[in-house]
Amino acid sequence: MPKKKKTKDPRKEAKKKLVEFGSEVLESIKKTEPPRMKVPSRSTSNILYDDKNRFYTLGEKVGTRTAANMRQVKKFAQTMCAAEFCRSLIDADKTATLREMYYTSEGWETGGFSDQGRSDKVVEDLESAFGVKREDLGLLPEEDGASIFGELVVDEGGMEVNATEAGRAGYTIPPTMNDVEFLECDAKKVLAVETMGMYHRLVQEEAWDQFDALVVALKGQPARATRRFLKRANEELGLPIHLFTDGDPFGFHIAMVVISGSAKLAYINHELAVPDAKFIGVTASDIEDYDLPTDKLRETDVKRLKQLLDDPRYSDDTWQSEIKKMLKIGKKAEQQAFSKYGLDYVVNEYLPSKLS
Amino acid sequence: MPKKKKTKDPRKEAKKKLVEFGSEVLESIKKTEPPRMKVPSRSTSNILYDDKNRFYTLGEKVGTRTAANMRQVKKFAQTMCAAEFCRSLIDADKTATLREMYYTSEGWETGGFSDQGRSDKVVEDLESAFGVKREDLGLLPEEDGASIFGELVVDEGGMEVNATEAGRAGYTIPPTMNDVEFLECDAKKVLAVETMGMYHRLVQEEAWDQFDALVVALKGQPARATRRFLKRANEELGLPIHLFTDGDPFGFHIAMVVISGSAKLAYINHELAVPDAKFIGVTASDIEDYDLPTDKLRETDVKRLKQLLDDPRYSDDTWQSEIKKMLKIGKKAEQQAFSKYGLDYVVNEYLPSKLS
């Protein structure tokens, strides 16, 4: 059962910020001063690894957008239109994809963006300027969230969903993850796996029952909604999060994005990163200990592993020695490789050993 | 409600074929004759467009595999092992991914495949030799099926799932689509859309209710399970299938793979193709009539469109004239482009007009 309840409605909070922004702009205009907006810099030099919180965050650098600058005036006006679009979404209790907002902008007085990259950047401006997530602004990525199977009951705006009764393919996390309320949870941990193949294996072998776990399919690099789910499951339900990925640089990256967030999303990692999540994926030692079928490291794998050695997120001893060992043996292995020993080996041998 | 009930259990049928195959091999050995296996050729020259059935199928060419040929003996033995693996899956009522079978083969007496492409080919051999789907052999792709929202209740091995109560992200079609039983269906049609963005739009605007439709997200090129679902919804539930894709060569391809099947899967199209499915995606005429935001056709788009003009699946007058018009205007448009006129325009204007 929930350890901690959500208290604030994040969409209401987001609207408040937008309305404040509008009022400030209006005040400036009344005083015949050019309206301004302060936006934290998202440039590489302002992305810092926060040792205490154990994730990337933005530093102190802040830029100022002003309608007084001819080069910025169109973008400033488009930012106002985007803020107004988001406010109308919140008022109507609707959501839109980033792509829909991009097309909607074709109808704005300011003219459209001519390239979605630009409208997405304006959304990032709003997120980092006001410290809110795009989801709270009503803007959603297109991508699916993870699939979940296990003893969890949620409420989605009045619709009660039991994650053992939504089909074998599981309950799919909606992009509107923040509106989902946790009603009941009998699971004791989260077992998040990289591939749908492993997900179906664990569901079929009833690993969710055996390990008292919510089995979660990350589907490769996890979507924002998935990361938000893992964060909330950890904080609100008090569940430890275990990450079972392939034993290769991409698998390590997938796990680390959950644990420490990505540099690109430094402005929002405090809502997404799960610093206490544990990596239980395939390591170079596992490759040797279990004599797993492997593939040779490619040149890009080697390059990537060497980068990880210098990445602050991988600075602890275990990561350092496992990455070095992988470089030494020159091999990688996938999580499904355990089926060499039978389809249920991963459930009967590997996971119990890793989880203990 | 179901128009036509499934009668045969396809997994039992598949097992029967496998056991027959084993018996034949045994008989040959007893007679000291080299065991053989006839496999329809899947080479390009044997893939024919069937005008009557309106999909690609295999021609008459058949190859013979024999254990008497030194070059074929290992592959023949591996095919036997794969057949035995599938039989054991059926007996245990389990499934495995193609990747798991590939790794399992590392433990076979014959030795493994050293490359998944080879084990996948052996699976295709079994499918085409015995006229069964890999799903019926217990072998699954990793990919997710589509998401469905609407008035449909299914049974998945004792678990009853209502596709209006599985969350906003919908009921996800499992890779084991063939084991799903349709219990109840109040929808009158299927509205299948290319992107998750459009899916969420239609769910949010309650288009499933307005149009009495099952809203189905194809998620780009549809998975085999999705195509099987559409085929079964059409045949067993008697629902007309409408395909709403982007207005570009890839969108046309996505629709046509549902309608006429792909050449690559010619050996199994009779189980997947839905020749009566209707294309209601964005056309060159729509781009003009609705004055949609567009992108310029790329060189690859132009090349692809010209190929479509010569493809028998696009031979009817409407396709021919729309493809020619798109080449002439040199533009393409996405399904979300209608949001230029507001988020609900697609539901209030475009779809009613296309469906009538």
Side-chain angles (χ1 to χ4, degrees):
Chain A
M1 282 302 300
K3 183 180 156 188
K4 184 179 126 184
K5 269 272 186 187
K6 270 200 313 176
T7 44
K8 288 185 286 190
D9 178 342
R11 296 192 81 181
K12 271 194 195 150
E13 293 291 308
K15 180 178 167 181
K16 215 175 111 192
K17 305 271 187 168
L18 294 175
V19 170
E20 275 169 19
F21 172 47
S23 306
E24 278 164 29
V25 170
L26 203 63
E27 281 307 306
S28 303
I29 293 170
K30 282 185 187 160
K31 291 190 221 159
T32 65
E33 283 167 7
R36 288 161 190 279
M37 175 186 184
K38 283 194 193 312
V39 181
S41 161
R42 300 189 299 279
S43 70
T44 320
S45 65
N46 200 39
I47 296 175
L48 312 166
Y49 185 72
D50 180 336
D51 279 317
K52 192 169 144 272
N53 283 314
R54 291 175 291 155
F55 52 71
Y56 280 107
T57 106
L58 289 186
E60 302 289 324
K61 279 187 218 166
V62 173
T64 303
R65 299 274 156 70
T66 161
N69 182 325
M70 277 309 285
R71 277 177 52 224
Q72 291 180 5
V73 68
K74 183 174 177 185
K75 195 172 172 188
F76 193 91
Q78 285 175 326
T79 306
M80 294 291 302
C81 288
E84 161 62 15
F85 178 70
C86 292
R87 190 204 47 80
S88 72
L89 286 176
I90 297 172
D91 282 350
D93 201 18
K94 282 201 178 188
T95 58
T97 63
L98 294 173
R99 193 107 190 113
E100 282 176 320
M101 183 183 106
Y102 164 66
Y103 283 122
T104 302
S105 75
E106 294 277 323
W108 293 349
E109 283 174 70
T110 56
F113 287 96
S114 77
D115 166 354
Q116 198 191 326
R118 288 187 203 172
S119 62
D120 289 357
K121 278 221 164 56
V122 163
V123 174
E124 289 177 15
D125 284 350
L126 293 174
E127 289 183 277
S128 49
F130 304 130
V132 298
K133 292 190 302 301
R134 65 183 65 169
E135 290 84 352
D136 304 332
L137 295 167
L139 294 170
L140 302 181
E142 288 223 13
E143 56 190 355
D144 270 356
S147 302
I148 302 178
F149 201 99
E151 301 279 0
L152 173 71
V153 181
V154 299
D155 180 286
E156 286 195 17
M159 192 197 302
E160 209 173 295
V161 190
N162 184 322
T164 54
E165 294 171 3
R168 286 184 202 172
Y171 161 63
T172 303
I173 298 176
T176 49
M177 180 58 218
N178 245 21
D179 299 337
V180 173
E181 205 184 324
F182 296 139
L183 295 181
E184 243 187 277
C185 180
D186 289 336
K188 301 285 182 287
K189 61 174 80 67
V190 168
L191 198 49
V193 301
E194 179 173 338
T195 64
M196 278 307 281
M198 184 53 71
Y199 167 86
H200 281 295
R201 175 59 43 222
L202 298 189
V203 171
Q204 198 167 115
E205 308 295 339
E206 300 188 341
W208 55 278
D209 192 22
Q210 180 179 337
F211 298 114
D212 283 325
L214 300 180
V215 173
V216 172
L218 298 171
K219 303 178 189 174
Q221 175 121 354
R224 286 168 66 113
T226 302
R227 287 152 67 185
R228 185 66 193 148
F229 169 80
L230 294 173
K231 174 100 179 158
R232 289 187 54 202
N234 183 241
E235 289 194 347
E236 293 172 39
L237 300 172
L239 302 183
I241 312 290
H242 302 275
L243 303 163
F244 175 23
T245 69
D246 288 343
D248 58 30
F250 187 56
F252 301 161
H253 175 69
I254 286 171
M256 195 52 82
V257 161
V258 172
I259 297 170
S260 290
S262 65
K264 198 176 167 292
L265 295 184
Y267 59 96
I268 208 73
N269 277 338
H270 57 281
E271 298 251 20
L272 299 177
V274 193
D276 288 326
K278 294 275 172 278
F279 176 74
I280 58 163
V282 182
T283 61
S285 298
D286 293 329
I287 290 176
E288 291 188 333
D289 296 348
Y290 291 93
D291 188 21
L292 291 178
T294 55
D295 286 309
K296 268 175 80 169
L297 290 180
R298 293 179 193 198
E299 218 173 290
T300 50
D301 292 324
V302 171
K303 200 177 137 197
R304 192 78 191 97
L305 285 171
K306 287 182 177 163
Q307 284 169 349
L308 299 189
L309 282 178
D310 294 328
D311 186 319
R313 298 173 295 175
Y314 297 86
S315 58
D316 83 29
D317 292 348
T318 316
W319 275 117
Q320 289 285 315
S321 83
E322 284 298 340
I323 294 169
K324 281 174 192 158
K325 186 181 271 189
M326 184 165 279
L327 282 165
K328 195 173 150 219
I329 64 175
K331 289 172 185 168
K332 58 184 179 178
E334 292 182 336
Q335 55 182 187
Q336 295 191 54
F338 293 100
S339 28
K340 175 185 172 185
Y341 303 109
L343 295 174
D344 50 11
Y345 186 87
V346 69
V347 171
N348 293 337
E349 303 292 336
Y350 178 75
L351 284 174
S353 146
K354 279 271 170 163
L355 287 168
S356 71
Chain B
M1 281 303 299
K3 184 180 157 190
K4 182 179 127 184
K5 269 273 186 187
K6 271 200 311 174
T7 44
K8 288 185 285 189
D9 177 343
R11 296 192 83 182
K12 269 193 196 151
E13 292 293 306
K15 180 178 167 182
K16 215 175 113 191
K17 304 271 188 169
L18 295 174
V19 170
E20 275 169 18
F21 172 46
S23 306
E24 278 164 28
V25 170
L26 202 63
E27 280 307 305
S28 303
I29 293 171
K30 281 185 187 161
K31 290 190 222 160
T32 65
E33 283 168 10
R36 287 160 190 280
M37 176 186 184
K38 282 193 192 316
V39 181
S41 161
R42 300 190 298 279
S43 69
T44 320
S45 66
N46 200 39
I47 296 175
L48 313 167
Y49 184 72
D50 180 337
D51 280 315
K52 193 169 144 270
N53 283 314
R54 292 175 291 155
F55 51 72
Y56 280 108
T57 106
L58 289 186
E60 302 288 326
K61 280 188 217 164
V62 173
T64 304
R65 298 274 155 71
T66 161
N69 182 326
M70 277 308 286
R71 278 177 50 225
Q72 291 179 4
V73 67
K74 183 173 177 186
K75 195 171 171 190
F76 192 90
Q78 286 175 325
T79 305
M80 294 292 301
C81 288
E84 161 61 15
F85 178 71
C86 292
R87 191 206 44 83
S88 72
L89 286 175
I90 297 172
D91 283 348
D93 201 17
K94 283 200 178 189
T95 58
T97 63
L98 294 173
R99 192 107 190 112
E100 284 177 319
M101 183 183 107
Y102 164 66
Y103 282 122
T104 303
S105 75
E106 294 276 323
W108 293 350
E109 284 174 69
T110 55
F113 287 96
S114 77
D115 165 353
Q116 198 192 326
R118 288 186 204 172
S119 62
D120 289 356
K121 278 221 165 56
V122 163
V123 174
E124 289 177 16
D125 284 350
L126 293 174
E127 289 182 277
S128 50
F130 303 130
V132 298
K133 292 191 302 300
R134 64 184 63 169
E135 291 83 351
D136 304 331
L137 294 167
L139 294 170
L140 303 181
E142 289 223 11
E143 55 190 356
D144 271 354
S147 301
I148 302 177
F149 201 99
E151 301 279 0
L152 174 70
V153 181
V154 299
D155 179 285
E156 286 196 16
M159 191 198 303
E160 211 173 292
V161 189
N162 184 323
T164 54
E165 295 171 2
R168 285 183 201 174
Y171 161 63
T172 303
I173 297 176
T176 48
M177 180 58 217
N178 245 19
D179 299 337
V180 173
E181 205 184 325
F182 295 140
L183 294 181
E184 243 186 277
C185 180
D186 289 336
K188 300 284 181 289
K189 60 173 81 67
V190 168
L191 199 47
V193 301
E194 180 173 337
T195 63
M196 277 307 281
M198 185 52 70
Y199 168 86
H200 281 296
R201 174 59 43 222
L202 297 189
V203 171
Q204 197 167 116
E205 308 295 338
E206 300 188 343
W208 55 277
D209 191 24
Q210 179 178 337
F211 297 114
D212 283 325
L214 300 179
V215 173
V216 172
L218 297 171
K219 303 179 188 174
Q221 174 120 354
R224 284 168 67 114
T226 302
R227 288 153 67 186
R228 185 64 193 149
F229 169 80
L230 295 172
K231 175 99 179 158
R232 290 187 53 202
N234 184 242
E235 289 194 347
E236 293 172 38
L237 301 172
L239 303 183
I241 313 290
H242 301 276
L243 302 163
F244 176 21
T245 69
D246 287 343
D248 58 29
F250 187 55
F252 301 161
H253 175 68
I254 285 171
M256 196 50 83
V257 161
V258 171
I259 297 170
S260 290
S262 65
K264 198 177 167 289
L265 295 184
Y267 58 98
I268 208 73
N269 276 339
H270 55 282
E271 298 253 18
L272 300 177
V274 193
D276 287 326
K278 294 274 173 278
F279 175 74
I280 57 162
V282 181
T283 61
S285 298
D286 293 329
I287 290 176
E288 292 189 332
D289 295 347
Y290 292 93
D291 188 22
L292 292 178
T294 55
D295 286 308
K296 268 176 79 171
L297 289 181
R298 294 181 192 195
E299 217 174 290
T300 50
D301 293 324
V302 171
K303 201 178 137 199
R304 191 78 190 98
L305 285 172
K306 286 181 178 164
Q307 284 169 349
L308 299 189
L309 283 178
D310 295 327
D311 186 318
R313 297 173 296 174
Y314 299 85
S315 59
D316 82 30
D317 291 348
T318 315
W319 275 117
Q320 290 285 316
S321 83
E322 284 298 340
I323 293 169
K324 282 174 192 159
K325 185 180 270 188
M326 183 165 280
L327 283 165
K328 196 175 151 217
I329 64 175
K331 288 172 185 169
K332 57 183 179 178
E334 291 182 336
Q335 56 181 185
Q336 295 191 55
F338 294 99
S339 29
K340 175 183 173 186
Y341 303 110
L343 295 174
D344 51 10
Y345 186 87
V346 69
V347 172
N348 293 338
E349 303 292 335
Y350 178 74
L351 285 174
S353 146
K354 279 270 170 163
L355 286 168
S356 70

